[in-house]
Amino acid sequence: MRQKKIYFVIIAAMLLSVIAVAQGSQKSKKANALEVSFNYQRQAGPGSNQYAVWIENEKGEFVKTLFVTAYTTKGRARGGEQAKRGYIVRPACVPVWVKTSKAEEKTDQQLDAVTGATPQNGGTQTFTWDFTDEQGKAVPQGKYKVKVEATLIFDSDIIYTGTFSTKDKPGEITLTSEITKPDEQHKDMVTDVKAVLK
């Protein structure tokens, strides 16, 4: 009987140590990617439907574009003329991304790598950052900002910002928003914006 008690104590101790190790590994687990998502609803008429998602470092310096809509970087050819970049034709087109990313210094090939068509239908848009820079190199450990900018209509522009660290554990990041000029008619273009460390 005493031997059974000893075995029970040993097994219980082993189970407790396994649980402690498992909990410890969960607590120490760092995130290795950032997922950004939002609900997009296409708007009628010109001057809308443009957005960009990018990463900055703690100082606000540009790190990497995750996505920018095609009109912004490619424009649209009209009347047989060669297309100009959308932000040149329409300076109110995601102006903060244009300035921060120094879009005018980038080649068409560099912009093509992060450009995609504006969705024709509404739905959830998702983008992932793997903690690398434009060259695909791992960024230094530290604090970063994720930004989502949406041109709702002409000069009505909204930016969502979240700050996080590459040392953080998985979980949702708190986002703040700032709008230049509210527009009730187009306010639902981008909604339910989330940034989650994975």
Side-chain angles (χ1 to χ4, degrees):
M1 188 73 171
R2 188 175 176 196
Q3 198 172 11
K4 285 184 179 179
K5 283 184 179 177
I6 292 170
Y7 283 136
F8 176 76
V9 169
I10 291 171
I11 290 170
M14 288 172 63
L15 284 171
L16 287 171
S17 66
V18 168
I19 290 168
V21 168
Q23 287 177 337
S25 66
Q26 281 182 337
K27 286 180 183 176
S28 63
K29 183 182 177 187
K30 289 191 309 182
N32 56 24
L34 174 72
E35 183 179 277
V36 183
S37 65
F38 53 82
N39 185 52
Y40 168 75
Q41 293 297 323
R42 190 173 179 87
Q43 305 298 299
S48 186
N49 300 306
Q50 304 309 309
Y51 56 83
V53 183
W54 73 97
I55 304 295
E56 296 177 3
N57 65 19
E58 189 176 11
K59 297 176 183 177
E61 298 165 333
F62 176 78
V63 174
K64 187 176 189 176
T65 298
L66 305 185
F67 183 87
V68 61
T69 44
Y71 175 79
T72 302
T73 59
K74 298 174 183 288
R76 191 175 293 120
R78 296 175 190 270
E81 294 180 1
Q82 186 174 353
K84 290 181 182 176
R85 292 180 179 183
Y87 65 82
I88 295 172
V89 178
R90 194 189 301 156
C93 188
V94 288
V96 178
W97 172 82
V98 170
K99 182 178 179 181
T100 306
S101 69
K102 298 182 179 174
E104 72 283 355
E105 297 177 12
K106 296 206 174 355
T107 65
D108 290 343
Q109 289 75 21
Q110 286 174 314
L111 291 177
D112 279 349
V114 293
T115 295
T118 304
Q120 293 300 308
N121 301 308
T124 302
Q125 310 301 308
T126 305
F127 312 96
T128 303
W129 184 47
D130 60 358
F131 295 176
T132 62
D133 61 18
E134 287 186 293
Q135 288 73 46
K137 296 177 182 176
V139 296
Q141 294 283 306
K143 289 186 178 179
Y144 290 87
K145 295 176 185 176
V146 57
K147 294 200 173 184
V148 176
E149 180 179 22
T151 298
L152 304 180
I153 186 74
F154 297 114
D155 59 348
S156 177
D157 195 69
I158 189 166
I159 297 181
Y160 295 85
T161 303
T163 302
F164 62 97
S165 171
T166 53
K167 298 176 183 178
D168 288 345
K169 289 180 277 190
E172 191 165 344
I173 296 167
T174 301
L175 298 174
T176 59
S177 64
E178 187 177 348
I179 190 165
T180 57
K181 184 179 177 183
D183 188 287
E184 282 299 307
Q185 188 177 346
H186 301 86
K187 65 182 174 59
D188 293 332
M189 183 189 126
V190 168
T191 58
D192 197 24
V193 183
K194 292 180 182 175
V196 182
L197 288 164
K198 300 277 189 174

